[in-house]
Amino acid sequence: MPKPLSLSFDPIARADELWKQHWGSVPAMAAITSIMRAHQILLAEVDAVVKPYGLTFARYEALVLLTFSQRGELPMSKIGERLMVHPTSVTNTIDRLQRAGLVARRPNPQDGRGTLASITDKGRETCDAATRDLMAMDFGLSAYDAEECGEIFALLRPLRMAAHDFEE
């Protein structure tokens, strides 16, 4: 896929200038627009790396979560809770992973109505290979060093806390 031509100016900076002229200075507008554009860029780059494995970043995250679990399996409800996504999204994600042979399902013996998702050997191999490729491209953040990545994490943490992603 060819990359689009670069603009000769920063469109977000230009929008910020125009915003100031029309409505006054609102630094949050330029910040959110930058964050949203960065999200688009990163998601496209990461998805391009995991696509050869039949994954999207969301499916990759589910495989990593199962890899990190003690037994390689978790209740579907716990997957949604940990990935902070709607139960329907979890079902769709696990359906795709199951069709690819990367995850299996079984009834949850602790909860008669629940289902456990378990990573398969093929799922572990796929997760490991995709992880190597993602690490090789610094998850799309090669423009930043380790310290700057830590600063980005720290800068966004209060936003996540304010959204009640977790309790301190």
Side-chain angles (χ1 to χ4, degrees):
M1 177 169 71
K3 289 198 177 240
L5 295 176
S6 295
L7 297 174
S8 60
F9 63 94
D10 180 344
I12 297 173
R14 175 80 51 88
D16 186 42
E17 292 169 20
L18 295 170
W19 192 280
K20 286 175 189 169
Q21 292 171 16
H22 282 75
W23 293 297
S25 180
V26 181
M29 186 284 300
I32 191 171
T33 306
S34 294
I35 291 168
M36 299 301 267
R37 179 62 184 133
H39 174 260
Q40 291 171 332
I41 292 165
L42 293 171
L43 195 55
E45 289 183 10
V46 168
D47 275 347
V49 169
V50 298
K51 185 177 182 176
Y53 298 102
L55 299 174
T56 60
F57 192 64
R59 285 182 230 149
Y60 169 76
E61 285 182 305
L63 287 179
V64 169
L65 181 62
L66 290 171
T67 297
F68 288 169
S69 67
Q70 287 182 339
R71 294 188 174 95
E73 63 184 11
L74 287 169
M76 299 280 282
S77 60
K78 192 67 74 179
I79 294 170
E81 181 183 298
R82 299 265 170 83
L83 295 179
M84 295 176 256
V85 296
H86 191 273
T88 304
S89 296
V90 174
T91 300
N92 291 336
T93 297
I94 298 303
D95 283 349
R96 293 283 184 100
L97 291 170
Q98 185 176 17
R99 281 196 296 271
L102 305 177
V103 167
R105 288 186 197 187
R106 70 181 181 94
N108 185 346
Q110 309 297 325
D111 174 5
R113 298 174 303 156
T115 301
L116 292 173
S118 307
I119 191 165
T120 63
D121 289 342
K122 181 181 176 185
R124 287 183 192 282
E125 291 167 12
T126 300
C127 185
D128 288 346
T131 298
R132 282 191 297 274
D133 289 352
L134 288 167
M135 289 172 57
M137 53 87 77
D138 288 326
F139 288 86
L141 293 171
S142 59
Y144 302 100
D145 64 22
E147 184 179 329
E148 289 168 322
C149 285
E151 290 170 7
I152 292 168
F153 175 80
L155 193 62
L156 295 174
R157 198 166 194 270
L159 176 74
R160 295 173 41 238
M161 287 176 62
H164 305 288
D165 270 2
F166 60 96
E167 293 179 21
E168 183 116 52

